[in-house]
Amino acid sequence: MDRYRNKATIMSLIFMGFGQIYNRQFIKGLIYLLIEAYAIIYFSSNLGRALWGIVTLGETPRTKVNGVFVDADHSIILLIKSLITILFLIIFIIIYIINVRDARKIAEKREQGVQANRFLQSIRYVLDYKFAQALLTLPAVGILFFTIMPIIFMVMLAFTNYSSPNHIPPFKLVDWVGFNTFKDLISLKTWSHTFYGVLTWTIIWAVLSTVTTYFGGLLVALLINQKGIRFKGFWRTILIIPYAIPQLISLLVMRNMFNGQFGPINQYITKYFGYFGLGGLPWLTDPFWAKVTVIIVNMWVGIPVSMILIMGVLTTIPRDMYEAAEVDGASNYQKFRIVTLPMVLFSTAPILIMQFAGNINNFNAIFLLTSGNPVVGDYQYAGATDLLVTWLYKLTLDQNKYNMASAVGIIIFLIIASFSIYNYRRTKSFKEEDMIQ
Amino acid sequence: MSGHKIKKLFRLSISYITLIILSICAVYPVLWVIFGSVRPGKSLYSKTLIPTQFTFDHYRELFTSKSYMFGDWYMNTLKISIASMLIGVFLTLLTSYAVSRFRFRGRQTALSAVLILGMFPGFMSMIAIFLLLKEFNLLDTHLALIIVYAAGAPLMGTFVAKGFLDTIPRSLDEAARIDGASNFKIFTRIIIPLSRPMFTYMALTQFVGPWVDFIFAKMVLRSKEKWTVAVGLYEMVNTNTNSNFTLFAAGAVLIAVPITLLFMFLQRFLVDGLTSGASKG
């Protein structure tokens, strides 16, 4: 009694939708049929060129014939078009597999004497049992085309020589170069010097900015939470203000305030402390002071966040732990060290790690404040305060060193991803997700 | 007075002094911008924090001057924010509901994928998106920004939203199911009303995103009359930092005030959102 089953499978293998029509599911079959018909038209005109394009990245650049530009192969457009076509192909293959499996399953049911669902019943079935998948379709398409595809594209760029001045289409072609870009970045003197320099500062920055904002926040939270401090709500509201102002604004404002020549900070310093021989400081123009400035300004922006978090944690610490400590004769400092600090650290550790990862990528804090400047002479297109991520930005938009930028991006990603995945895997929400229900 | 009391008084005074200093540090730059925006002239520096004369000329100039089309920028930003907020929140809600309530094959993989994708430096994919938009003739349009912001929303919001939805007891769903409610009905009648706080948080962050994003907007929007306020303001500082500070201050106030008020008003949700995303349960 398996003739339905095999027949339906074979028919749907031959042409999408045949199996469904054989199963007497006409509307569903017709939809599948139309999808395949469209796919055949689309792929017959695109697939060949796409495969050729992704392998060769074009063979003839734009040329000038009798004073007129003749367009030929634009490597990058070719690459992105090929990528889109291949993605469509993958989607199509997935639909094909679903189609065959569906036809076979329905045929099996028919062998057992169950009537195939009518179209409306099929829809109901999806809504009842495949609801999650149905919900996820739309967001998945968006993510596929605006996140995954661009990422694949950029990863591919790291393996090409797409960079100015010699390999910028349409007048020049781009070629695959394998791991050469990474090799240059790590071992070629000019690049590696900048890379290690920027990497070192990125890590120093991430550590310092995380530590300063975290302990700053802890300090402020403890100050406000002390016994005997009045107007707690008032202090809290005032100190939260920096957090509420968009970073775009506050950082641009700070850039003005710390301006060495015109900024009010230096003007006040010379005005009030000028007698002691103090001039203004080169806040944003000296490599060392620029680093100090970004850390200070980042504290201004970041402390409120930690403060809110830690205040939240403080309220959850049971009072009896303090009472027990008091009975044992603990001093204030001891209570802090033995009860408060471990409790706070324990509950904020995941956030601390995420903040660290976020600071490695903290584009705004650097770019809006210093734009990565001051420039360092022997760096390749980077300044003293540039993080890897702002360097990546400069390499891309100002210098057109796309391949190098992609390589840097991959390295940043590897650093951040390892932190975050480690962190995520050890949080409870991953391990014991269903426990709280 | 006993020694203990003196010690306590001393500790409290130090604390109050610290708090006052910190408060001044927190508020000073803010006041400086607000007062700067109503100070006559163009100078960045003034002898006193509070200006001796007040003027609203800078605000007027923002909207009337030919070189600053602040009114246009404001409307553009509003349009983009609202549209991308609506679509983005919708998409995030779909994703987070699906991963919070249903158990299906590949779910754990999908979750990890969302997490990992969210960690990629955004600029890395910007060039690709730029070329993609160029292919579809979407450069220099607001639609492009809306699509990209909305499509990216689930990546940023799913975890926070899922953390929240996980706390809605599943017994509610089951009770409704016994009463004969369909998935769709449970979604619209139970989940959506109960997740209003999370909704608000998501909508807010989605709304504010376009207001403060200038990197991507700057890349896509080429013509001046299509800029968003963020791009306009950044360009103001970038091109003539010190010559017209008061005008910049007025622009900053115009952008910051609505967003700041929203944040203050919704502070509670923000705190919830911050904590629930990280380690729920």
Side-chain angles (χ1 to χ4, degrees):
Chain A
M1 262 304 268
D2 61 21
R3 64 205 165 85
Y4 283 158
R5 189 184 305 183
N6 288 338
K7 244 185 191 165
T9 315
I10 290 166
M11 285 184 81
S12 62
L13 265 175
I14 293 170
F15 207 94
M16 240 159 78
F18 278 7
Q20 280 76 11
I21 292 175
Y22 170 75
N23 283 338
R24 302 202 166 70
Q25 292 188 311
F26 294 108
I27 301 182
K28 198 156 129 192
L30 203 67
I31 293 172
Y32 273 126
L33 235 136
L34 287 176
I35 293 176
E36 170 139 13
Y38 179 77
I40 286 176
I41 297 169
Y42 175 81
F43 287 122
S44 62
S45 61
N46 281 318
L47 193 58
R49 190 172 161 78
L51 292 175
W52 167 82
I54 209 159
V55 173
T56 63
L57 292 180
E59 277 156 1
T60 39
R62 178 187 284 184
T63 46
K64 212 170 184 181
V65 181
N66 305 328
V68 184
F69 289 118
V70 179
D71 263 336
D73 305 328
H74 186 300
S75 306
I76 295 309
I77 305 244
L78 261 179
L79 179 59
I80 208 161
K81 277 187 170 167
S82 305
L83 211 54
I84 295 176
T85 311
I86 290 170
L87 275 183
F88 274 133
L89 184 68
I90 293 171
I91 295 175
F92 177 69
I93 291 172
I94 293 173
I95 297 178
Y96 217 112
I97 294 171
I98 293 174
N99 144 67
V100 174
R101 280 189 10 197
D102 174 75
R104 189 177 174 86
K105 220 169 85 188
I106 304 275
E108 271 172 30
K109 288 249 176 71
R110 283 179 65 206
E111 286 165 17
Q112 293 156 8
V114 184
Q115 266 245 292
N117 277 338
R118 301 181 62 83
F119 187 59
L120 284 178
Q121 285 172 318
S122 300
I123 289 179
R124 264 214 76 100
Y125 173 81
V126 169
L127 287 184
D128 281 342
Y129 297 101
K130 301 280 176 197
F131 197 60
Q133 285 88 332
L135 287 181
L136 284 175
T137 317
L138 195 57
V141 170
I143 289 175
L144 186 65
F145 278 95
F146 289 98
T147 309
I148 296 180
M149 206 270 293
I151 289 175
I152 298 175
F153 175 74
M154 290 308 283
V155 171
M156 290 172 108
L157 282 193
F159 298 93
T160 68
N161 54 9
Y162 183 24
S163 65
S164 73
N166 292 327
H167 297 282
I168 294 294
F171 292 102
K172 298 281 168 52
L173 289 174
V174 175
D175 290 307
W176 296 112
V177 295
F179 281 94
N180 276 357
T181 315
F182 290 93
K183 258 185 229 152
D184 286 354
L185 184 62
I186 292 168
S187 58
L188 195 68
K189 187 77 183 65
T190 46
W191 283 107
S192 65
H193 174 61
T194 319
F195 174 66
Y196 291 123
V198 174
L199 179 68
T200 314
W201 162 240
T202 305
I203 291 168
I204 295 174
W205 149 264
V207 171
L208 281 182
S209 57
T210 311
V211 168
T212 50
T213 52
Y214 185 80
F215 287 100
L218 181 66
L219 181 80
V220 178
L222 288 174
L223 263 180
I224 298 180
N225 253 32
Q226 272 183 99
K227 237 188 271 171
I229 291 281
R230 302 182 65 183
F231 314 119
K232 289 192 162 73
F234 168 77
W235 296 118
R236 203 179 108 116
T237 315
I238 294 273
L239 290 171
I240 233 171
I241 285 177
Y243 172 60
I245 297 166
Q247 278 193 11
L248 173 79
I249 306 292
S250 50
L251 291 171
L252 286 180
V253 167
M254 292 288 190
R255 182 187 186 144
N256 276 306
M257 294 192 73
F258 280 96
N259 186 304
Q261 267 180 294
F262 310 96
I265 291 191
N266 267 356
Q267 307 218 5
Y268 286 125
I269 290 180
T270 32
K271 192 175 158 204
Y272 294 110
F273 300 99
Y275 309 108
F276 310 108
L278 277 175
L281 284 170
W283 292 110
L284 298 173
T285 43
D286 174 78
F288 173 76
W289 282 106
K291 289 176 181 176
V292 173
T293 314
V294 287
I295 298 272
I296 293 176
V297 172
N298 187 64
M299 282 172 77
W300 190 85
V301 175
I303 285 182
V305 186
S306 308
M307 180 191 82
I308 305 170
L309 280 172
I310 293 171
M311 283 180 115
V313 176
L314 287 179
T315 56
T316 63
I317 301 177
R319 291 244 27 102
D320 42 350
M321 290 181 82
Y322 288 109
E323 279 155 20
E326 268 162 33
V327 170
D328 288 345
S331 69
N332 274 338
Y333 172 69
Q334 281 171 326
K335 275 192 275 181
F336 167 74
R337 204 171 53 94
I338 295 163
V339 182
T340 317
L341 193 61
M343 288 293 280
V344 171
L345 274 178
F346 177 76
S347 12
T348 50
I351 300 173
L352 201 60
I353 295 178
M354 282 323 282
Q355 275 179 354
F356 178 77
N359 275 326
I360 291 181
N361 250 345
N362 200 336
F363 184 86
N364 274 354
I366 300 295
F367 191 80
L368 291 174
L369 199 63
T370 65
S371 309
N373 294 331
V375 172
V376 178
D378 57 350
Y379 269 12
Q380 290 280 77
Y381 319 113
T385 55
D386 261 322
L387 303 179
L388 284 175
V389 71
T390 52
W391 187 38
L392 159 71
Y393 178 83
K394 287 181 179 171
L395 285 177
T396 319
L397 287 182
D398 302 341
Q399 306 301 334
N400 297 339
K401 302 274 182 200
Y402 299 107
N403 58 345
M404 207 47 95
S406 305
V408 173
I410 291 172
I411 291 169
I412 300 175
F413 169 74
L414 290 178
I415 298 173
I416 308 256
S418 46
F419 271 109
S420 313
I421 292 171
Y422 164 76
N423 195 30
Y424 177 61
R425 294 222 162 240
R426 49 180 284 284
T427 54
K428 281 188 193 158
S429 56
F430 178 80
K431 283 190 208 151
E432 308 159 13
E433 194 167 34
D434 288 321
M435 300 277 282
I436 46 174
Q437 290 298 328
Chain B
M1 254 198 284
S2 68
H4 186 69
K5 253 195 175 159
I6 293 174
K7 224 171 125 188
K8 191 182 164 193
L9 201 70
F10 180 70
R11 178 172 60 85
L12 278 184
S13 338
I14 295 280
S15 303
Y16 277 120
I17 292 169
T18 321
L19 279 176
I20 289 169
I21 293 174
L22 286 174
S23 304
I24 292 173
C25 291
V27 178
Y28 186 80
V30 181
L31 293 180
W32 190 69
V33 172
I34 295 176
F35 287 129
S37 73
V38 291
R39 190 188 300 140
K42 293 180 169 182
S43 163
L44 186 60
Y45 173 72
S46 86
K47 285 204 182 88
T48 52
L49 176 65
I50 300 170
T52 40
Q53 276 178 298
F54 287 91
T55 170
F56 284 100
D57 283 352
H58 308 305
Y59 288 94
R60 203 168 304 132
E61 193 187 339
L62 277 179
F63 288 95
T64 52
S65 127
K66 287 227 164 53
S67 52
Y68 305 110
M69 292 173 275
F70 218 76
D72 289 346
W73 299 343
Y74 224 80
M75 291 315 289
N76 291 342
T77 320
L78 210 58
K79 189 176 92 183
I80 295 170
S81 298
I82 291 176
S84 61
M85 174 187 83
L86 293 176
I87 307 173
V89 167
F90 175 69
L91 291 180
T92 315
L93 198 69
L94 292 186
T95 334
S96 53
Y97 177 62
V99 291
S100 161
R101 274 304 189 271
F102 297 90
R103 296 292 175 266
F104 50 90
R105 234 170 13 141
R107 174 174 163 282
Q108 216 43 278
T109 323
L111 270 177
S112 309
V114 167
L115 184 87
I116 292 168
L117 290 174
M119 286 178 303
F120 249 92
F123 321 105
M124 246 183 100
S125 46
M126 258 183 4
I127 303 301
I129 294 182
F130 179 78
L131 291 170
L132 196 68
L133 294 173
K134 203 165 142 195
E135 271 300 286
F136 290 113
N137 282 325
L138 283 172
L139 275 193
D140 206 19
T141 62
H142 293 151
L143 182 67
L145 286 182
I146 295 172
I147 294 176
V148 174
Y149 289 146
L155 282 183
M156 301 298 130
T158 299
F159 271 82
V160 175
K162 174 187 171 295
F164 184 92
L165 290 182
D166 281 344
T167 62
I168 298 176
R170 212 168 292 170
S171 48
L172 276 179
D173 302 22
E174 277 150 20
R177 211 173 299 260
I178 290 168
D179 288 346
S182 65
N183 277 323
F184 187 69
K185 209 160 198 169
I186 294 173
F187 185 53
T188 51
R189 295 286 168 81
I190 295 177
I191 301 294
I192 291 183
L194 279 178
S195 31
R196 201 170 294 148
M198 191 263 306
F199 242 152
T200 327
Y201 167 75
M202 246 160 44
L204 177 70
T205 45
Q206 274 297 301
F207 181 80
V208 170
W211 281 86
V212 293
D213 171 58
F214 74 103
I215 309 158
F216 187 65
K218 201 175 114 199
M219 198 164 121
V220 173
L221 304 173
R222 295 309 171 86
S223 38
K224 203 169 183 176
E225 68 273 8
K226 287 191 175 161
W227 280 357
T228 61
V229 277
V231 180
L233 202 72
Y234 179 77
E235 290 297 320
M236 254 163 102
V237 175
N238 213 22
T239 49
N240 42 15
T241 316
N242 311 303
S243 60
N244 210 342
F245 167 74
T246 43
L247 200 65
F248 163 76
V253 169
L254 281 180
I255 302 180
V257 163
I259 300 178
T260 307
L261 287 180
L262 270 176
F263 264 77
M264 296 302 260
F265 178 63
L266 295 166
Q267 217 192 80
R268 190 165 50 90
F269 301 127
L270 280 169
V271 177
D272 288 350
L274 265 177
T275 42
S276 67
S279 59
K280 177 64 73 185

